[in-house]
Amino acid sequence: TMATVAHASAVVVSHTHARARGNGAALHSRASTARTAPEHRRRRHRHLQESHMKVTALSLWKSNGDDREPHVLGKAEDVAEFGFFQRPSVREMLVFISRTVAKRTAVGARQSVAQDAYMVHVTNKGGLIAVAVVDAEYPSRSAFCVLSAMLEEYETRVVVGDAWRALSADDSRGDEMLEGMLIKYQDPSAADKILKIQRELDDTKVVLHKTIDSVLARGEKLDNLVDKSTDLSLASQMFYKQAKKQNQCCTMM
């Protein structure tokens, strides 16, 4: 299931709850005397919701069809909330799950995969694929705005036009751009502003999947993909299996 990132952690689930508790306490401040009680409650609720939101990873991929794995064209992750020794495995899991979903998103399609406290949003524009891993509280509309910005900026600032089509291996030139966007779009309102300077989001239907398993083709099993993945070290494969075994009810990164 979202298992990679999914089963690969009760770790993240526990961090998510801890972050929520910490942020909630930090944001509990007295209302000004000029503010009505209902208004204060509404504002505090909105602030608490926003404090839970997080963009964990952004990546760009070149589709190589159904038979070959896509090439990564750039990636950025924020794994600071994880333990120091867990971070390498979490990074590998993020690459693995993003590559897995990217490969299974058809040209012209948009998908969202839900798993516990996380969402993986993906869009495929003519074979150039953008993927975002975010907290479930991060608005889907904002996430797809970010994906559109990633695609447009990559083709105008990094690899002009469709020159990326000629790439035949993983390429890191998009990393720096995505690292900046990862910081900028932690605030969903920054993503919404994109609509004011870009065309409206297309109305392509977004297919929602409740787990990673539902994205896989019939006969495919996530455990087998983990075993065969070149994105995952032996340590990360063990991390995934132990998290799955110990936390079968908590199947998110």
Side-chain angles (χ1 to χ4, degrees), residues 21 36 62 71 87 93 115 167 188 194 210 238 250:
R21 287 196 299 272
T36 65
K62 175 200 171 188
H71 293 314
R87 292 175 191 174
M93 288 292 179
Q115 190 68 39
L167 297 174
I194 298 170
K210 293 185 177 179
M238 288 300 297
C250 301

Side-chain angles (χ1 to χ4, degrees), residues 62-71 99 102-107 124 127 129:
K62 175 200 171 188
S63 173
N64 289 315
D66 296 335
D67 299 329
R68 292 189 298 149
E69 295 297 315
H71 293 314
R99 195 189 300 266
K103 180 181 179 181
R104 291 157 181 81
T105 302
V107 173
N124 184 332
I129 307 168

Side-chain angles (χ1 to χ4, degrees), residues 23 92 94-95 135 155-156 162 211 221 224-225 228 247:
N23 288 333
E92 290 182 3
L94 287 165
V95 172
D135 282 358
E155 289 189 298
T156 55
D162 63 355
T211 67
K221 293 189 180 299
N224 293 339
L225 295 180
K228 294 187 291 185
N247 239 318

Side-chain angles (χ1 to χ4, degrees), residues 43-60:
R43 291 191 181 187
R44 182 171 181 273
H45 177 68
R46 184 167 65 250
H47 288 163
L48 285 171
Q49 278 190 318
E50 290 175 353
S51 71
H52 300 173
M53 298 174 189
K54 177 170 179 171
V55 181
T56 299
L58 299 176
S59 57
L60 285 164

